[in-house]
Amino acid sequence: MRIRLPAMLLLAATLLFWGLYDRYALDGDVLLESPALADATRVRGDCTGTNGHFRLTVHEDGKMASINFRLPGASDFRMIRVRCRIRTADVVPGKYSWRCARLLLTQYDANNKWIPGQHGLVSQWGTGEWSFHQEVFATIPGAAHADVVIQQSGISGTAEFDSIAAEPVRLKKTFFVWQGVFAFLWVGMAGLYYRRCRLHNRRLRLLILLNIFAILFGTLMPTVVIQKGTDGLKESVAKAIQKRSQSKPAAAPETTIKKKPVDHDVHETKRIDRFNEAVDGAHVAGHFVLFSSLCFLVYLSAALEGQHRSYYFKVAFDILLFAAITESMQNLTLDRTAGLSDWLTDVYGMALAFGVFLVVRFFMRNVLKRH
């Protein structure tokens, strides 16, 4: 523990400082604050509002309830901070976890077409007391206007929203100073533990280091880069599906069947959900795969080196500590923050890796003994 104490202290300092430090300053007049139902540009489903307090209910028929508030001049600013309080009562989520009570910032082009991007602010379901949420969104290039949307898209239940506000913000200059200070400290810590953890003597040191660099690259990668990659993948898949459908022979027209009118609100919500599903799926998969592979490589290297079984417990603790450190380092980026759910995903990946390692060691015990 004495060897790991410097890293643990710096981890605690990082989480404490960035948890209290507000990196943003107001960059203009408030765009939205405690709106009334009369200020809404679109209302759908069972929605009521009084004095800035809104109640959205989904009945057994499952019809979504939502309210849109247009933000005038939102495209003139680079970043917008959105915040509100949410309380839920018997909200049953839909197929996906975000199909429930949530707050969004949606952006549209000049033709009023939805632009893919970071939209979901919070997803809350079940029954819970008032909780405060806030998030900063970057305005997307080409966006003509933006809407703050409160929504109950679950199967049933009631969601209440209060203290809704949106304001333009900018990064404080001191943010870059503190970013540099903590980055310097963590680089120095990496140099210290490269020797203390004897990474230069590990049998699989090249693969282990490549895995570590991949984790750090994914940790510090801006969200906008991840979103662009997801958009490109989805666009390629959509084109492939469209090309395949066009190659099929057209079916004979059936004049007796009438087409059901398209609900554009539902269609837009489904597109947002599909986008969030792709981004969240890639994010979770990245965490799971990278930490499971790191854990497996370190265990396999320890087995090839003939380490005692007690060494495996030290490895598990060190990788858990490294996972927490990489999560805390996301606070040094412009648009990412540490999250407990990501750390738990890392833990699940490590658990799987340990199980795979035990199987591999059992079938390769004779080879490992020779090493």
Side-chain angles (χ1 to χ4, degrees):
M1 291 299 294
R2 186 171 54 186
I3 294 176
R4 299 166 179 82
L5 185 60
M8 295 172 66
L9 290 176
L10 184 54
L11 171 62
T14 302
L15 292 174
L16 180 62
F17 176 83
W18 291 103
L20 298 175
Y21 175 72
D22 185 0
R23 64 183 70 183
Y24 298 102
L26 195 63
D27 194 32
D29 295 333
V30 174
L31 302 175
L32 183 73
E33 187 171 19
S34 299
L37 192 60
D39 300 322
T41 53
R42 187 195 309 178
V43 179
R44 181 177 183 274
D46 185 354
C47 305
T48 59
T50 305
N51 298 327
H53 177 96
F54 301 93
R55 184 182 181 91
L56 281 62
T57 303
V58 173
H59 302 282
E60 294 301 324
D61 59 1
K63 185 178 181 181
M64 181 184 69
S66 65
I67 305 175
N68 286 47
F69 298 99
R70 181 64 48 85
L71 299 182
S75 58
D76 296 336
F77 303 97
R78 296 184 60 184
M79 291 179 288
I80 298 173
R81 176 159 58 189
V82 182
R83 61 178 183 266
C84 81
R85 295 195 310 150
I86 301 178
R87 180 169 66 179
T88 55
D90 301 322
V91 173
V92 179
K95 181 179 180 181
Y96 305 109
S97 60
W98 56 79
R99 294 298 302 267
C100 51
R102 59 181 181 174
L103 178 70
L104 307 95
L105 179 74
T106 57
Q107 302 183 51
Y108 305 86
D109 61 18
N111 297 319
N112 206 35
K113 182 181 179 182
W114 172 75
I115 304 175
Q118 184 186 3
H119 295 278
L121 171 58
V122 62
S123 299
Q124 191 166 314
W125 59 88
T127 298
E129 291 302 316
W130 288 108
S131 58
F132 177 77
H133 305 275
Q134 73 173 8
E135 184 63 81
V136 174
F137 297 90
T139 53
I140 301 172
H145 60 85
D147 288 4
V148 168
V149 184
I150 57 176
Q151 191 177 89
Q152 209 301 60
S153 58
I155 297 175
S156 61
T158 299
E160 296 177 73
F161 299 83
D162 196 3
S163 304
I164 302 170
E167 57 191 15
V169 293
R170 56 175 173 79
L171 281 168
K172 296 178 180 177
K173 294 181 179 179
T174 54
F175 165 75
F176 299 101
V177 176
W178 288 113
Q179 184 187 46
V181 169
F182 277 91
F184 176 79
L185 291 174
W186 278 119
V187 169
M189 199 67 68
L192 173 65
Y193 281 96
Y194 180 79
R195 285 286 179 177
R196 284 195 171 186
C197 295
R198 301 194 304 275
L199 287 174
H200 59 294
N201 292 330
R202 299 275 80 94
R203 285 289 186 91
L204 303 178
R205 58 184 175 275
L206 180 59
L207 293 176
I208 292 173
L209 288 173
L210 287 175
N211 205 140
I212 290 175
F213 285 136
I215 290 174
L216 293 175
F217 179 77
T219 297
L220 302 176
M221 181 186 297
T223 303
V224 65
V225 176
I226 301 174
Q227 290 175 346
K228 286 182 178 179
T230 306
D231 287 345
L233 177 61
K234 289 181 65 181
E235 185 177 355
S236 300
V237 173
K239 287 181 178 178
I241 295 174
Q242 184 179 10
K243 185 177 180 181
R244 182 178 178 183
S245 62
Q246 290 176 349
S247 63
K248 293 182 179 181
E254 298 182 12
T255 57
T256 57
I257 299 179
K258 294 183 179 181
K259 291 185 177 180
K260 185 178 180 180
V262 178
D263 189 329
H264 294 287
D265 289 347
V266 174
H267 183 60
E268 178 184 297
T269 301
K270 288 182 178 179
R271 286 190 296 169
I272 294 175
D273 288 346
R274 286 196 297 268
F275 179 84
N276 287 339
E277 178 190 2
V279 172
D280 292 345
H283 180 78
V284 172
H287 270 272
F288 189 87
V289 171
L290 287 174
F291 272 91
S292 61
S293 60
L294 176 62
C295 186
F296 178 80
L297 288 172
V298 175
Y299 276 139
L300 183 59
S301 183
L304 293 172
E305 296 159 16
Q307 297 284 355
H308 190 269
R309 290 185 178 181
S310 62
Y311 181 78
Y312 297 138
F313 294 99
K314 298 178 183 179
V315 166
F317 181 83
D318 287 341
I319 298 180
L320 284 173
L321 180 60
F322 178 65
I325 289 172
T326 55
E327 277 301 306
S328 72
M329 290 176 65
Q330 291 192 26
N331 287 308
L332 306 184
T333 63
L334 294 176
D335 56 358
R336 301 180 68 179
T337 55
L340 179 60
S341 60
D342 291 340
W343 184 79
L344 290 176
T345 301
D346 301 337
V347 174
Y348 299 147
M350 291 171 54
L352 175 64
F354 181 66
V356 173
F357 166 72
L358 292 178
V359 174
V360 171
R361 190 181 68 170
F362 176 79
F363 287 103
M364 297 183 63
R365 55 187 180 276
N366 293 329
V367 176
L368 293 175
K369 285 181 181 179
R370 288 199 297 269
H371 285 79

